[in-house]
Amino acid sequence: MRVPKLVGLMAMDARERARAHGVLLAAPDRPEFHLTVVDYVVRQYPPPGVEIPRGAFVTVWFDFGDGEGGGGAGVREPRLPKPPRGGLERELDRPRDAFEVIG
């Protein structure tokens, strides 16, 4: 039997897919995994497609480990105080008149 792909599924869907494929799930970052519903699987071991015996455990994680993914994208609030204006603009020459005669 091959390990099903569980990454990207909600906890309840991951449990159903695992059950349908005859494997058991372990979640070290969720002590009450059986109650977890809407958290998404971000990692699994063994990876999908690996051959394992029926009834074997597949470990899933719902949080990224240190230095993994996460991205940090989300709601951003303005930083106060605001950074000074200008940045690279300060290093550029002033634009010249587009119609200036070059001689």
Side-chain angles (χ1 to χ4, degrees):
M1 102 150 321
R2 297 205 179 274
V3 176
K5 181 180 183 223
L6 303 171
V7 173
L9 297 178
M10 287 192 298
M12 59 189 240
D13 296 330
R15 284 193 298 268
E16 283 300 313
R17 183 168 289 176
R19 187 176 303 122
H21 283 81
V23 296
L24 303 171
L25 292 184
D29 64 343
R30 292 291 187 275
E32 298 196 3
F33 172 61
H34 63 285
L35 300 176
T36 305
V37 178
V38 295
D39 291 347
Y40 287 86
V41 176
V42 296
R43 286 187 296 158
Q44 74 178 69
Y45 185 82
V50 171
E51 193 74 33
I52 59 171
R54 188 177 239 0
F57 275 92
V58 175
T59 304
V60 293
W61 289 268
F62 295 92
D63 288 328
F64 286 107
D66 292 338
E68 289 184 320
V75 176
R76 299 283 189 205
E77 296 183 17
R79 295 186 316 180
L80 296 176
K82 291 186 178 183
R85 295 187 50 86
L88 292 177
E89 292 175 14
R90 289 189 225 156
E91 298 178 17
L92 299 176
D93 292 333
R94 289 225 171 256
R96 297 180 160 229
D97 182 5
F99 299 102
E100 179 182 352
V101 177
I102 301 175

